[in-house]
């Protein structure tokens, strides 16, 4: 079992990072293979908006965004964490979302996902909504979502309620991957989004989306 964890907060030692490292530790104890990325440490250039990746299957910029996307492509599960800035995800995470081949390419097709969002005052649900929408539209199976209001620079290790909640979510994610659990309503919704929204659009684009169609064929969507 391979899990990729992405810390989308610009802070490596904040509340989001704490929760993600607790998840990492627990998954390692269960025998899972875990790769952890702090996006603030990665070299990720702004998307140029050229859309050439849809034709070729890869970005014209060869940096860490491509490396992380490849790890996600080969994973069984993905966990993305975000702090909240101006009721949204941080800029470093949005830059990776723009570059990560998520929605059109269906990068997370049939991968099990958990989202983690922290906030101090306001906007946590909005930021979580952005993250959860990304995961669902990218084809992921949602196993859970953690949204926590946490005072800035607080000691999360003493928050027994938070730690219990995190461990329950970890167990659910782990069990879902092991059992390849089918969430029927999610599966139907994914098929509708793909069949009505994405597939006609991409097929209409013809050869300019050849890379996307090649990816879809590889994962059984065409």
């Amino acid at each position: 079992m391979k899990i990729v964890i992405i810390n989308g907060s610009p802070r490596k030692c904040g509340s989001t990072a704490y929760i993600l490292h607790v998840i990492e530790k627990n998954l390692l104890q269960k025998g899972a293979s875990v790769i952890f990325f702090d996006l603030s440490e990665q070299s990720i250039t702004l998307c140029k908006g050229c859309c050439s990746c849809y034709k070729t299957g890869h970005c014209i910029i060869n940096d860490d965004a491509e490396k992380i996307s490849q790890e996600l492509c080969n994973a069984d599960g993905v966990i993305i964490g975000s702090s909240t800035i101006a009721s949204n995800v941080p800029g470093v995470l949005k830059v990776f979302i723009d570059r990560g081949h998520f929605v059109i390419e269906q990068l997370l097709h049939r991968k099990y996902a958990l989202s983690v969002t922290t906030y101090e005052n306001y906007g946590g649900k909005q930021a979580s909504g952005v993250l959860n929408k990304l995961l669902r539209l990218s084809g992921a199976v949602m196993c859970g979502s953690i949204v926590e209001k946490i005072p800035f620079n607080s000691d999360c290790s003493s928050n027994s309620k938070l730690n219990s909640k995190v461990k329950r979510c970890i167990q659910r994610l782990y069990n879902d991957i092991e059992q390849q659990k089918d969430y029927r309503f999610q599966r139907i919704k994914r098929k509708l989004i793909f069949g009505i929204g994405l597939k006609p659009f991409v097929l209409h684009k013809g050869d300019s989306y050849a890379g996307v169609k090649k990816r879809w064929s590889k994962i059984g969507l065409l």
Side-chain angles (χ1 to χ4, degrees):
M1 183 187 298
K2 177 180 176 180
I3 311 292
V4 174
I5 299 177
I6 296 173
N7 178 20
S9 168
R11 304 181 73 223
K12 289 174 56 182
C13 299
S15 301
T16 305
Y18 168 80
I19 294 172
L20 294 177
H21 281 300
V22 168
I23 293 172
E24 177 189 27
K25 180 180 178 180
N26 277 264
L27 287 172
L28 288 171
Q29 289 173 345
K30 292 177 181 295
S33 171
V34 181
I35 301 177
F36 193 107
F37 291 105
D38 280 302
L39 288 185
S40 62
E41 288 190 330
Q42 310 303 311
S43 174
I44 302 177
T45 302
L46 293 172
C47 176
K48 296 181 180 297
C50 65
C51 295
S52 64
C53 57
Y54 297 148
K55 183 174 184 177
T56 65
H58 58 84
C59 184
I60 61 171
I61 307 167
N62 186 20
D63 61 8
D64 289 337
E66 293 293 284
K67 175 187 71 177
I68 299 171
S69 290
Q70 189 57 51
E71 294 291 354
L72 288 171
C73 187
N74 296 328
D76 300 299
V78 55
I79 300 158
I80 302 181
S82 172
S83 54
T84 301
I85 299 177
S87 299
N88 210 323
V89 298
V92 65
L93 179 53
K94 182 59 171 68
V95 170
F96 176 61
I97 290 171
D98 291 348
R99 288 283 314 286
H101 307 287
F102 281 97
V103 178
I104 297 294
E105 292 95 328
Q106 291 293 280
L107 180 69
L108 305 180
H109 175 63
R110 299 191 67 178
K111 301 184 188 303
Y112 291 81
L114 172 66
S115 69
V116 175
T117 308
T118 65
Y119 67 108
E120 183 180 33
N121 181 37
Y122 180 79
K125 290 184 179 180
Q126 288 88 334
S128 177
V130 171
L131 201 49
N132 291 339
K133 185 176 181 180
L134 169 74
L135 294 169
R136 292 191 182 99
L137 291 181
S138 302
V141 180
M142 288 297 299
C143 301
S145 179
I146 299 170
V147 185
E148 286 294 321
K149 185 175 183 179
I150 303 174
F152 188 69
N153 281 342
S154 63
D155 180 13
C156 294
S157 63
S158 62
N159 189 332
S160 58
K161 184 178 179 181
L162 168 63
N163 285 285
S164 295
K165 181 178 182 179
V166 170
K167 288 182 179 179
R168 288 196 302 271
C169 288
I170 295 167
Q171 191 62 55
R172 182 177 181 182
L173 173 72
Y174 187 86
N175 290 343
D176 284 358
I177 295 174
E178 270 205 327
Q179 300 164 12
Q180 289 295 288
K181 183 169 181 178
D182 176 35
Y183 290 89
R184 186 169 178 267
F185 179 74
Q186 287 192 41
R187 172 166 47 84
I188 293 170
K189 192 172 181 179
R190 285 196 304 273
K191 285 186 176 180
L192 288 173
I193 291 170
F194 180 78
I196 297 174
L198 288 176
K199 188 175 180 180
F201 172 78
V202 168
L203 294 181
H204 178 72
K205 290 289 187 175
D207 290 342
S208 63
Y209 274 55
V212 175
K213 289 186 283 187
K214 183 178 180 180
R215 158 73 180 166
W216 286 0
S217 295
K218 183 178 180 181
I219 59 178
L221 287 174
L222 277 184

